[in-house]
Amino acid sequence: MNQTDSPPVLVTGATGRIGRIVIDQLLDAGVPVRALTHRAEAAATLPAKAEVFTGDLTAPESLDPALNGAGAVFLVWTAPPRTAAAAIERLAAHVPRVVFLSSPHRTPHPLFQQPNPMAALHADIERLIAATALRSTIIRPGMLASNSLAWWAPAIRADRTVRWPYGATETAPVDDRDVAAVAAQTLRQDTHAGGDYVLTGPESLTQAAQVSLIGDALGQRIPFEEMTPDEFRNLSKGTAPGPVIDMLLDAWSAAAGQPAYITTTVADLLGTAPRTFHQWATDHATAFTQSPQDSEGSEGSQESEDL
């Protein structure tokens, strides 16, 4: 599709699992895109139609070239919090609109109500945005379907039993592509200014059931074995920060015994039903059997700089 005469949209987190898809969606809709990365070599992984800028949220002045003349920003905060105020001030001085990828920390469900550093950071950034003249849209995805790659793919690739805590806890995994589609739509349409959208998948599934659905997508049975929280902490040492492990365990524990929180927001905004977890697993089946180095693209993987 030919690009429109509208001002470009700046996408931060451009090489991450959400931002990268947002870029494709905007380009497909004819919207000019600027992609921000703090690694110049990352430009090789981005579409040729995207204008690539090197900048860093920890150095807000480095954002100016990418912000000048932009009409909106897709903000994915992946930096330490110390420069958040200066970065938001920089955005407000250059662009009229921001779409912020946050989390459902205001949602009245125990899965999302456990204190954690990421929720606190998101809340602080939302307050900073609200204090400016920026017209903002807040997007709050729940559990991402692609988290299962980081959690369970190593055991599945090694043909081992998936051992995990709180297997009976239910979540409603949302497909990264649906999150990106909502983000792209809100970036294209100024009518979403002021919107606050919680995004989930269409069904409440136990974690054990999600592993079983991955097995269905692969055409094999994947054994699942419950582990204790202490076992999970010990096995996770060195693979994730302690506060992240505690956050997950607290959330799964608090949500045990009740259905997942589900919204119709994806369908309401896009006019199509959100993808099921089984569909996501089927579409990403090879990512569970190939080594990460052999899998193409950044979709479905947590990169060092971006979400």
Side-chain angles (χ1 to χ4, degrees), residues 26 72-73 96-100 129 134-139 180-199 265-271:
L26 290 171
V73 174
R97 284 200 304 128
V98 62
V99 174
F100 176 46
I129 291 172
L134 283 163
R135 300 196 301 277
S136 64
T137 307
I138 310 298
I139 295 178
V182 169
Q185 179 166 301
T186 58
L187 286 161
R188 296 196 311 268
Q189 299 174 356
D190 195 28
T191 55
H192 292 284
D196 192 313
Y197 302 128
V198 177
L199 310 180
T265 309
V266 171
D268 294 342
L269 294 180
L270 302 180

Side-chain angles (χ1 to χ4, degrees), residues 209-224:
Q210 292 169 40
V211 172
S212 179
L213 288 171
I214 293 169
D216 289 346
L218 296 175
Q220 65 185 70
R221 179 183 174 275
I222 300 174
F224 183 93

Side-chain angles (χ1 to χ4, degrees), residues 42-176:
T45 68
L46 296 167
K49 289 184 178 180
E51 187 178 7
V52 180
F53 288 80
T54 302
D56 198 318
L57 293 169
T58 63
E61 67 280 359
S62 71
L63 306 176
D64 288 357
L67 290 169
N68 288 330
V73 174
F74 180 54
L75 178 61
V76 183
W77 191 270
T78 56
R82 64 181 182 274
T83 58
I88 299 303
E89 183 179 351
R90 216 82 184 189
L91 264 63
H94 289 80
V95 300
R97 284 200 304 128
V98 62
V99 174
F100 176 46
L101 186 69
S102 187
S103 54
H105 58 83
R106 294 180 176 179
T107 302
H109 188 281
L111 184 73
F112 305 126
Q113 286 300 305
Q114 308 314 302
N116 69 80
M118 183 59 70
L121 173 60
H122 285 160
D124 286 341
I125 292 176
E126 289 170 33
R127 284 192 288 270
L128 291 169
I129 291 172
T132 71
L134 283 163
R135 300 196 301 277
S136 64
T137 307
I138 310 298
I139 295 178
R140 306 181 187 277
M143 201 68 73
L144 292 171
S146 59
N147 287 345
S148 60
L149 281 168
W151 294 344
W152 303 321
I156 293 171
R157 290 188 193 110
D159 200 24
R160 298 196 309 267
T161 296
V162 171
R163 302 186 67 242
W164 204 251
Y166 298 107
T169 291
E170 299 183 34
T171 65
V174 59
D175 194 304
D176 305 50

